[in-house]
C-alpha cells in the first residue's frame, strides 16, 4: 500500500512565524510594514516577490520528499492555475494540486487549460475540486446557486470535463453546461486526466464524490467522525462500482518535544486579537452553508475560548488553528514522534494520502519532511517498493 504525501503552497500569504505578528514573506502584504524579510535592511522591503517565495516552498517541499503541493483558491488568494504553471518549470517531480470551483469557467475551457498544463509539466497536474461554502465568499464570486445545486453543477462539470478529454465528439444535454459534438483538439488529447481530490462533507458532496472522486478529501476531524464519514463515502462509491480512496488535509506544529510544540502554539495564541475575531464573526452574520466548516467549529469547542488549552480536542489534536491563520480548526500539535503516531492512526482508519502544512511553509516543509515523515510506520517507496512508478518517487509504502 502506498501513501501520497503532499504539502501546501501558501497562495494566500505566509507568516514568518506564529510568534511574529503580521510580518509575512515577499510582496504579498505590501500594506504591512516589515513584510518582506527585511532583516538586514532596516525594515525596507527587499524586493522578494511572493512568486519567488512560493517557488522556494515548492522546491523545499520537493527536496524534503513531498509528492506535490495543494494550491488553495479563495477570494484572497493568488490564482492556482497561473501559479502552478509558473512553478512547474522550477521543479522536477513536484505535482501541483489546483483547487478550483467548477462552475466559474466552462469545462471545455478548463479541459484545455488542464491538458496544456499536463503537457508543459510532464503530467504533474491534479485537482482539488471544491464546490464552495456559500456566504460572503460565494457572494464575492457572484455565485447565486444554492448549496445542493452547486454540487449538481460540479457533477455536471466533471462529466463534461471527462467527456471532452479524449478528443472524440462529446454531446451532453446538461442543465448548466450543455455541449454538442465538442472535444479537445488533437495534440492535447494524449495527456493523463488529472487525479481528482474532492472536498465537501454534506450529503450532496458525498453523493458527487462517489461518482467523480479518485480521493475523497477531508479536513482533520476526530477519528470516530472521520471513520463514519469515510464509511458513507465508501458505501456510495462502491454502490457505483468504483473504489474509494481517502485523504486528509491537516496542519502540523511539531517540535523535538511536546512541550516545545505547545509553547509555540501558546505564543501564537497570545498574539491573537480575540475581540477582532469575535467582531469578524458577528460582522459576517453567516459563515455560509458549508457543512464541513460547521463540523470544524462543532469539533473545535467554540469561538470564544479563554485559553489555548480549552481547545484541545484529544491528545495532540488542537481545535484552535483557525484563530492563528484562518481555515480549518483542527490540527496536530506535539513531538515529532507524537505527530507521526497521529498520522499513523489516520492511515489505520483508511487514509491513502495526506496534505500537510505548517507555518512558515518553507522551514516547516523541511522539518516535517525530515523529522516526522521518517517516523511513520512507512518507508519512502524509493528504498522499499520497486513497484512504485518511476515518476512518483515520493510515495510512502506502509509497512
Ligand atoms: C481539504 C479541503 C480543502 C478545501 N479548500 C478549499 C479552497 O481552497 N477554497 C474554497 O473555496 N473551499 C475549499 N474547501 C471547502 C469545500 O470545497 C466546500 O466548499 C465546503 O466544504 C462546503 O461543502 P460542504 O457543505 O459539502 O461541506 C476545502 C475543503 C476541504 C475539506
Amino acid at each position: 500500500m502506498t501513501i501520497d504525501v503532499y504539502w501546501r503552497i501558501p497562495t494566500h500569504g505566509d507568516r514568518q512565524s506564529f510568534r511574529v505578528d503580521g510580518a509575512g514573506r515577499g510582496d504579498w502584504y505590501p500594506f504591512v510594514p516589515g513584510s518582506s524579510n527585511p532583516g538586514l535592511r532596516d525594515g525596507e522591503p527587499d524586493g522578494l516577490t511572493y512568486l519567488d517565495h512560493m517557488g522556494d516552498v515548492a522546491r523545499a517541499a520537493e527536496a524534503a520528499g513531498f509528492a506535490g503541493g495543494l494550491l488553495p483558491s479563495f477570494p484572497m488568494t493568488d490564482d492556482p492555475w497561473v501559479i502552478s504553471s509558473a512553478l512547474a518549470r522550477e521543479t522536477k517531480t513536484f505535482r501541483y494540486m489546483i483547487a478550483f470551483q467548477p462552475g466559474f469557467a466552462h469545462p471545455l475551457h478548463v479541459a484545455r487549460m488542464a491538458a496544456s498544463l499536463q503537457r508543459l509539466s510532464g503530467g504533474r497536474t491534479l485537482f482539488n475540486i471544491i464546490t464552495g461554502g456559500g456566504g460572503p465568499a460565494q457572494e464575492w464570486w457572484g455565485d447565486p446557486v444554492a448549496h445542493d445545486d452547486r454540487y449538481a453543477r460540479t457533477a455536471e462539470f466533471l462529466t463534461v470535463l471527462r467527456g471532452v478529454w479524449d478528443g472524440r465528439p462529446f454531446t451532453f444535454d446538461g442543465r448548466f453546461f450543455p455541449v454538442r459534438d465538442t472535444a479537445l483538439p488533437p495534440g492535447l488529447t494524449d495527456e493523463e486526466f488529472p487525479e481528482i481530490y474532492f472536498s465537501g462533507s454534506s450529503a450532496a458532496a458525498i453523493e458527487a464524490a462517489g461518482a467523480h472522486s479518485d480521493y475523497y478529501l477531508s479536513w482533520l476531524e476526530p477519528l470516530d467522525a472521520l471513520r463514519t464519514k469515510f464509511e458513507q463515502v465508501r458505501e456510495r462509491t462502491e454502490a457505483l462500482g468504483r473504489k474509494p480512496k481517502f485523504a486528509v488535509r491537516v496542519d502540523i506544529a511539531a517540535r523535538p518535544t511536546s512541550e516545545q510544540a505547545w509553547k509555540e502554539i501558546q505564543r501564537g495564541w497570545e498574539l491573537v486579537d480575540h475581540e477582532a475575531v469575535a467582531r469578524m464573526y458577528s460582522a459576517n452574520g453567516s459563515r455560509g452553508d458549508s457543512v464541513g466548516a460547521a463540523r470544524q467549529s462543532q469539533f473545535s469547542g467554540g469561538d470564544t475560548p479563554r485559553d489555548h488549552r480549552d481547545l484541545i480536542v484529544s491528545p495532540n489534536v488542537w481545535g484552535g488553528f483557525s484563530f492563528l491563520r484562518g481555515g480549518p480548526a483542527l490540527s496536530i500539535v506535539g513531538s515529532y514522534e507524537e505527530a507521526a503516531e497521529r498520522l499513523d492512526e489516520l492511515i489505520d482508519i483508511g487514509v491513502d494520502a495526506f496534505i500537510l502544512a505548517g507555518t512558515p511553509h518553507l522551514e516547516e516543509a523541511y522539518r516535517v519532511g525530515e523529522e516526522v515523515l521518517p517516523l511513520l510506520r512507512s518507508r519512502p517507496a524509493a528504498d522499499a517498493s520497486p513497484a512504485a512508478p518511476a515518476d512518483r518517487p515520493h510515495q510512502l509504502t506502509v509497512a
Side-chain angles (χ1 to χ4, degrees):
M1 174 189 182
T2 56
I3 306 287
D4 281 357
V5 188
Y6 292 84
W7 193 242
R8 179 177 59 193
I9 304 296
T11 49
H12 48 327
D14 203 3
R15 287 172 65 170
Q16 290 169 10
S17 141
F18 286 140
R19 285 172 280 128
V20 183
D21 204 7
R25 259 112 193 230
D27 54 15
W28 181 260
Y29 301 109
F31 44 89
V32 178
S35 222
S36 300
N37 286 344
L40 299 175
R41 291 183 174 76
D42 238 3
E44 288 304 310
D46 61 6
L48 174 72
T49 72
Y50 194 68
L51 180 64
D52 290 335
H53 175 61
M54 288 188 281
D56 287 345
V57 173
R59 280 186 298 271
E62 182 176 52
F66 291 93
L70 166 67
L71 296 100
S73 173
F74 288 96
M76 70 289 194
T77 64
D78 262 313
D79 183 80
W81 290 94
V82 174
I83 301 303
S84 51
S85 62
L87 298 188
R89 307 300 282 244
E90 299 193 22
T91 48
K92 294 189 174 69
T93 61
F94 202 67
R95 310 174 90 213
Y96 292 88
M97 188 186 294
I98 297 175
F100 71 96
Q101 289 200 39
F104 302 160
H106 194 280
L108 191 65
H109 182 195
V110 169
R112 194 178 62 170
M113 289 198 296
S116 289
L117 198 46
Q118 284 293 61
R119 205 166 55 150
L120 81 80
S121 68
R124 289 185 283 137
T125 309
L126 64 165
F127 295 148
N128 178 16
I129 298 295
I130 50 177
T131 296
Q138 219 62 32
E139 283 167 22
W140 183 87
W141 286 107
D143 183 16
V145 175
H147 183 280
D148 286 7
D149 282 343
R150 292 200 296 273
Y151 279 102
R153 182 176 62 187
T154 291
E156 205 175 275
F157 177 99
L158 292 172
T159 300
V160 175
L161 187 72
R162 232 179 243 284
V164 301
W165 193 262
D166 69 6
R168 283 179 293 181
F170 181 72
T171 294
F172 184 74
D173 190 15
R175 173 176 157 206
F176 298 96
F177 306 108
V179 291
R180 183 150 305 281
D181 286 336
T182 192
L184 280 181
L188 285 181
T189 53
D190 288 340
E191 304 304 323
E192 197 181 328
F193 190 77
E195 254 179 349
I196 293 186
Y197 282 62
F198 194 104
S199 308
S201 293
S202 56
I206 289 170
E207 177 76 24
H212 295 281
S213 69
D214 294 307
Y215 290 80
Y216 173 75
L217 174 61
S218 176
W219 287 310
L220 180 66
E221 294 184 357
L223 285 185
D224 282 348
L226 264 187
R227 210 183 272 119
T228 305
K229 201 162 63 153
F230 286 175
E231 210 35 62
Q232 291 164 353
V233 174
R234 187 186 310 284
E235 222 171 79
R236 192 61 214 131
T237 312
E238 289 179 348
L240 295 168
R242 306 180 71 241
K243 188 177 161 348
K245 285 187 177 181
F246 300 98
V248 165
R249 175 37 229 108
V250 59
D251 275 70
I252 294 192
R255 291 292 181 272
T257 68
S258 199
E259 292 69 32
Q260 287 167 322
W262 285 107
K263 186 80 192 157
E264 192 71 14
I265 293 299
Q266 187 195 336
R267 290 166 87 175
W269 179 259
E270 283 162 4
L271 290 176
V272 173
D273 181 346
H274 295 279
E275 281 177 18
V277 172
R279 274 201 306 279
M280 188 184 78
Y281 278 129
S282 61
N284 278 350
S286 148
R287 287 198 230 169
D289 55 19
S290 165
V291 172
R295 285 169 72 98
Q296 284 289 299
S297 31
Q298 172 200 332
F299 297 133
S300 68
D303 296 336
T304 50
R306 291 171 182 280
D307 188 281
H308 72 282
R309 283 167 296 205
D310 295 344
L311 292 169
I312 294 175
V313 173
S314 58
N316 307 118
V317 176
W318 188 56
F321 241 62
S322 42
F323 290 99
L324 300 192
R325 56 99 184 88
L330 270 61
S331 58
I332 293 176
V333 181
S335 67
Y336 299 145
E337 285 81 6
E338 288 167 339
E341 281 166 21
R342 299 293 81 78
L343 295 178
D344 272 331
E345 279 172 1
L346 289 163
I347 292 172
D348 289 343
I349 66 161
V351 169
D352 303 283
F354 291 107
I355 301 167
L356 307 178
T359 299
H361 286 73
L362 179 60
E363 291 89 334
E364 294 301 306
Y366 280 118
R367 186 197 296 277
V368 174
E370 293 174 353
E371 304 286 359
V372 177
L373 297 186
L375 300 178
L376 289 176
R377 293 193 309 265
S378 329
R379 288 290 170 265
D383 55 48
S385 169
D391 62 342
R392 305 284 294 282
H394 300 310
Q395 283 182 324
L396 301 178
T397 300
V398 178

